[in-house]
Amino acid sequence: MRTKSAARAVPLPSHRNSVLSAIRKYKVMYALLFPALLYFAVFKYIPMAGIVIAFKNYNMALGLWDSPWVGLRNFKEFIQGVYFWDIMANTIIISLYKLLFGFSAPILLALLLNEVSVSWFKKAVQTVTYLPHFLSWVIVYGLLVALLAPGDGLVNHLLKDNGLQAVSFLTEPAWSRPLVILSEIWKDIGWGAILYLAALAGVDPSLYEAARMDGASKWRQLWHVTLPGIRGVIILMLILKLSHILDAGFDQIFMFANAFNKEKIDIIDTWVYREGLERLRVGLATAVGLFKAVIGFVLVLAANKLAKKFDGQIW
């Protein structure tokens, strides 16, 4: 009887003790992780306290906590504003075009490079295609001015030399969206292809050998071996893209927009820039940022649910 009661008296290890023991066991790993956690805490989570500005008529003289509460007035003012539907339409259209063409372009480039057997040529193409990623949009726009300027741009020189009318590519509203999409594809196609090339390197070569033995053509191998092999990466990147569906690229649009084409490419972020920094309507700008974040969060959850439904994996 004493033995049984003594056994009952032995305390079970608490959750706190197990956590401390895990930290001691993997202390090197946690030490390496700590700078990243500190970064996210300082620059991502602590600033979230500023979300309260979205519900206030923020006044710099009064400060964050003393500014008067206005409830949902900032959200109503944005949704009922004159420019709401125009900037929402521009943002969604540009984002969908970028998602449709810009998302698939790196996949296509990676699939093409994966078929190249000449090593030096493959590396040269990779280098040439991913170098533009490191250029700022200021430099990219400067290159476009040199190529497409209506007066002395290279393209317009060629058009006029062949008896054609010069085209004002940078100010014509009809050309504004195609230029935004094409320039983004040119800038980021090589960088995005790196991820898919890394995923393609992990596809089991024996699957291709088995497919060839079954008489599968290159197209069949692509459809039944290559694409399923990188499906997880494609779905993950799609989810990440959907979370930024309302961003549409502030830096790029800010450089490309002017008085002539603004009606076609003015997006939420550029509108927030004017309202928040130029007109100092910080409460309204914060409300729009929160509005975007909620929509992005909902889209990520929806995309994740679809991914689990069609792929059976949890991201």
Side-chain angles (χ1 to χ4, degrees), residues 4-308:
K4 292 182 180 179
S5 62
R8 293 194 195 98
V10 175
L12 295 174
S14 65
H15 177 69
R16 180 181 179 183
N17 291 335
S18 63
V19 171
L20 292 176
S21 62
I23 292 175
R24 283 194 295 267
K25 184 177 180 181
Y26 302 105
K27 57 185 177 181
V28 176
M29 300 291 185
Y30 284 110
L32 294 173
L33 186 63
F34 179 75
L37 294 177
L38 182 64
Y39 166 79
F40 278 98
V42 174
F43 295 103
K44 300 295 182 180
Y45 287 98
I46 294 178
M48 288 178 68
I51 290 176
V52 298
I53 296 176
F55 306 95
K56 290 191 170 192
N57 182 15
Y58 181 70
N59 189 313
M60 293 185 182
L62 296 176
L64 176 62
W65 303 113
D66 293 331
S67 296
W69 290 90
V70 294
L72 300 176
R73 191 183 76 181
N74 289 322
F75 296 91
K76 293 178 181 178
E77 183 176 351
F78 172 62
I79 295 173
Q80 297 173 359
V82 177
Y83 300 105
F84 173 75
W85 292 111
D86 292 334
I87 62 174
M88 280 295 293
N90 289 338
T91 304
I92 293 173
I93 289 172
I94 292 174
S95 296
L96 288 178
Y97 280 148
K98 286 185 176 182
L99 185 64
L100 179 62
F101 300 106
F103 180 75
S104 57
I107 301 174
L108 179 60
L109 178 61
L111 293 174
L112 292 174
L113 289 175
N114 192 53
E115 298 298 322
V116 176
S117 57
V118 183
S119 179
W120 68 267
F121 179 75
K122 182 177 181 178
K123 291 179 180 178
V125 173
Q126 279 186 266
T127 302
V128 170
T129 54
Y130 79 66
L131 278 178
H133 174 78
F134 300 99
L135 300 178
S136 70
W137 280 112
V138 177
I139 297 175
V140 173
Y141 188 74
L143 293 173
L144 288 176
V145 169
L147 291 172
L148 305 176
D152 53 358
L154 177 61
V155 174
N156 278 314
H157 269 304
L158 294 175
L159 291 176
K160 287 185 285 188
D161 289 344
N162 288 277
L164 300 175
Q165 186 73 27
V167 180
S168 183
F169 294 99
L170 300 176
T171 57
E172 183 66 36
W175 282 98
S176 57
R177 288 175 184 170
L179 281 178
V180 166
I181 307 304
L182 291 174
S183 60
E184 167 126 333
I185 292 174
W186 173 77
K187 188 174 185 295
D188 291 333
I189 185 172
W191 184 258
I194 293 176
L195 299 174
Y196 298 108
L197 283 170
L200 287 169
V203 179
D204 190 355
S206 63
L207 297 176
Y208 292 103
E209 184 179 351
R212 284 192 295 268
M213 292 179 63
D214 290 338
S217 63
K218 280 289 185 181
W219 288 108
R220 287 291 182 180
Q221 293 176 40
L222 173 66
W223 186 256
H224 294 288
V225 179
T226 306
L227 289 178
I230 62 173
R231 179 177 56 185
V233 177
I234 293 174
I235 293 175
L236 177 60
M237 295 305 297
L238 178 61
I239 292 175
L240 294 177
K241 284 281 186 179
L242 286 175
S243 66
H244 298 282
I245 195 71
L246 292 183
D247 287 345
F250 168 77
D251 295 344
Q252 181 190 21
I253 301 298
F254 185 76
M255 289 304 305
F256 280 64
N258 52 60
F260 302 98
N261 63 12
K262 190 170 70 172
E263 62 181 78
K264 289 291 185 181
I265 60 174
D266 192 22
I267 59 173
I268 293 177
D269 287 344
T270 52
W271 185 85
V272 167
Y273 170 81
R274 293 194 301 272
E275 294 294 322
L277 294 181
E278 293 182 359
R279 301 177 184 174
L280 297 179
R281 304 180 69 185
V282 181
L284 178 60
T286 307
V288 178
L290 182 58
F291 171 79
K292 283 179 49 184
V294 171
I295 292 179
F297 179 69
V298 172
L299 288 174
V300 166
L301 293 180
N304 186 44
K305 192 171 184 63
L306 287 175
K308 289 189 288 184

